[in-house]
Amino acid sequence: TFEIRAHAVVNATGVWTDELDAQADAGHAPQVRPAKGVHIVVPWDKVRINCTVTVPIPGRARRATCTRWGNTVVLGTADEDYQGSPDDVHCTRQEMEFLLEGANTAFEGELTPDDVIGSIGGLRPLVGGKEGATLDMRRDHHITIGRTGMVTVTGGKLTTSRHMGELVIDKVMTVLGRSARSRTARLPLLGGAGYDAEAVAASGGLAAHLGERYGTEARFVGDLVQQDPTLAEPVVPGLPYTRAEVVYAARAEMARSVDDVLSRRTRARLFARDASAGAAQAVGELLGAELGFSQAQIERSVADYLSSVRHERSILLEGAAA
Ligand SMILES: Cc1cc2nc3c(=O)[nH]c(=O)nc-3n(C[C@H](O)[C@H](O)[C@H](O)COP(=O)(O)OP(=O)(O)OC[C@H]3O[C@@H](n4cnc5c(N)ncnc54)[C@H](O)[C@@H]3O)c2cc1C
């Protein structure tokens, strides 16, 4: 553990906020009601849609949303109370089956579990009472200042996250006794200043792929390829991610494990779960070279990823308990 001194601390840890608030203040009353959602991914040639479609699921009030994403289709989601560990959330076999059933009924398809090339489960940190369905709960954000002065933000949505950030900074200024206000609303996102989406898409090939992922920051990834052309090679067969993106993830995006790279800095695990496992060793070696890992550290990071993919598969395909 490290001891870090700070004038202000912000707790923005999603469904873990209550756990952290309770560490700071034993009298903290829990406020988060975790609501689980899942998505699965199938090849586009099995569900040939070109836009987002919502479809009814037989016997359920909830509808499923089907969205084309490149040469895949993403099917989701669910919205259910969740009582398990927030550290181990996956799409279950039952959840996968109702999404497949919805898509098969709507599109007269024949999707089977073998068509599911990736899946993901997540928890929404909803704030509110325990009564009623999570689906009907408001997605409002909540910002509080605890007795120790820690600013906690929870609830909200990805689409409102910048506004939440703005309000949090203003709250921190209050804690610090300063009058300055957040400048977020006037700042472009990293890679967003001067970004021309149409020109980037029209450029095609690697330039378009990197531009769409990194905005104007893509030139730094491009520089890596210029210095070492082997970094232009794909890292996961069938997906557009390059080896340069692994190096960039280590240097500029704080990636510290194979899982960081394949699950979060890229979406390789979601779009090609099994192929991503096949790429784990190569990713481990690239990361290891960047971060000065020992051979044992590389092997541990690769083994952790492979074991986590096996665990995900067993819950999804064999119906094992999480
Ligand atoms: C299935 C699903 C569908 C969704 N759909 C939409 C949508 O269509 N539109 C939309 O706007 N929003 C959507 N959301 C909501 C959006 O994704 C959430 O609002 C968002 O993920 C919550 O963000 P967060 O940053 O509060 O929490 P999280 O994204 O959970 O991030 C919390 C972070 O804190 C870290 N952490 C935990 N404990 C600690 C600690 N002690 N110290 C340091 N770090 C810690 C965790 O590792 C994690 O990285 C959806 C969510 C789900 C699950």
Side-chain angles (χ1 to χ4, degrees):
T1 57
F2 300 93
E3 195 177 306
I4 299 172
R5 293 185 163 275
H7 291 294
V9 176
V10 174
N11 176 7
T13 56
V15 288
W16 292 269
T17 48
D18 281 329
E19 195 183 309
L20 207 60
D21 276 338
Q23 279 179 35
D25 174 5
H28 168 75
Q31 52 171 349
V32 174
R33 182 174 168 191
K36 185 181 177 190
V38 295
H39 288 91
I40 58 173
V41 180
V42 298
W44 178 76
D45 59 10
K46 303 270 177 174
V47 187
R48 291 172 173 266
I49 54 169
N50 284 313
C51 57
T52 295
V53 185
T54 57
V55 301
I57 298 178
R60 287 186 176 242
R62 173 99 208 181
R63 297 170 74 85
T65 303
C66 313
T67 306
R68 180 172 184 179
W69 191 316
N71 56 4
T72 67
V73 172
V74 180
L75 310 176
T77 177
D79 202 318
E80 308 277 347
D81 271 313
Y82 180 79
Q83 264 92 32
S85 162
D87 299 330
D88 192 22
V89 183
H90 299 280
C91 178
T92 63
R93 180 162 186 115
Q94 196 191 16
E95 288 162 335
M96 169 185 68
E97 281 172 350
F98 82 65
L99 289 172
L100 291 178
E101 198 186 335
N104 282 338
T105 309
F107 303 119
E108 297 178 352
E110 290 175 0
L111 288 167
T112 72
D114 288 341
D115 294 316
V116 178
I117 53 178
S119 65
I120 192 166
L123 298 176
R124 305 172 186 86
L126 303 186
V127 178
K130 299 271 179 248
E131 59 291 336
T134 55
L135 182 59
D136 299 325
M137 288 174 71
R138 295 175 66 88
R139 269 51 174 162
D140 294 347
H141 56 261
H142 291 253
I143 302 171
T144 51
I145 302 177
R147 282 199 301 186
T148 56
M150 182 157 73
V151 177
T152 294
V153 53
T154 192
K157 290 176 71 77
L158 214 51
T159 35
T160 55
S161 57
R162 288 200 90 190
H163 179 54
M164 287 160 71
E166 185 178 22
L167 298 176
V168 165
I169 293 301
D170 290 347
K171 204 62 116 184
V172 167
M173 287 299 160
T174 309
V175 171
L176 296 176
R178 296 196 200 150
S179 58
R181 311 283 287 174
S182 165
R183 296 184 300 133
T184 297
R186 297 188 298 280
L187 296 175
L189 284 171
L190 185 67
Y195 180 68
D196 183 341
E198 280 182 20
V200 165
S203 60
L206 183 60
H209 164 70
L210 295 180
E212 284 169 1
R213 285 213 350 107
Y214 303 96
T216 51
E217 296 286 294
R219 66 196 159 99
F220 297 114
V221 189
D223 286 350
L224 296 174
V225 174
Q226 283 239 304
Q227 288 154 18
D228 177 358
T230 66
L231 292 179
E233 288 165 16
V235 70
V236 179
L239 294 182
Y241 306 116
T242 58
R243 290 163 59 84
E245 289 163 79
V246 181
V247 174
Y248 184 79
R251 288 190 193 171
E253 298 178 326
M254 293 199 294
R256 290 296 175 270
S257 67
V258 171
D259 190 38
D260 281 343
V261 172
L262 292 171
S263 300
R264 290 174 291 275
R265 303 310 183 272
T266 69
R267 285 293 186 188
R269 180 171 178 165
L270 180 60
F271 291 114
R273 178 196 55 232
D274 297 340
S276 80
Q281 185 65 35
V283 170
E285 281 162 18
L286 277 167
L287 264 190
E290 276 304 309
L291 302 173
F293 283 179
S294 66
Q295 196 55 38
Q297 282 174 305
I298 294 174
E299 280 165 21
R300 196 172 327 122
S301 192
V302 172
D304 285 349
Y305 184 72
L306 296 179
S307 137
S308 145
V309 169
R310 270 197 305 276
H311 180 57
E312 176 186 323
R313 266 183 133 269
S314 71
I315 293 168
L316 183 78
L317 298 175
E318 294 156 27

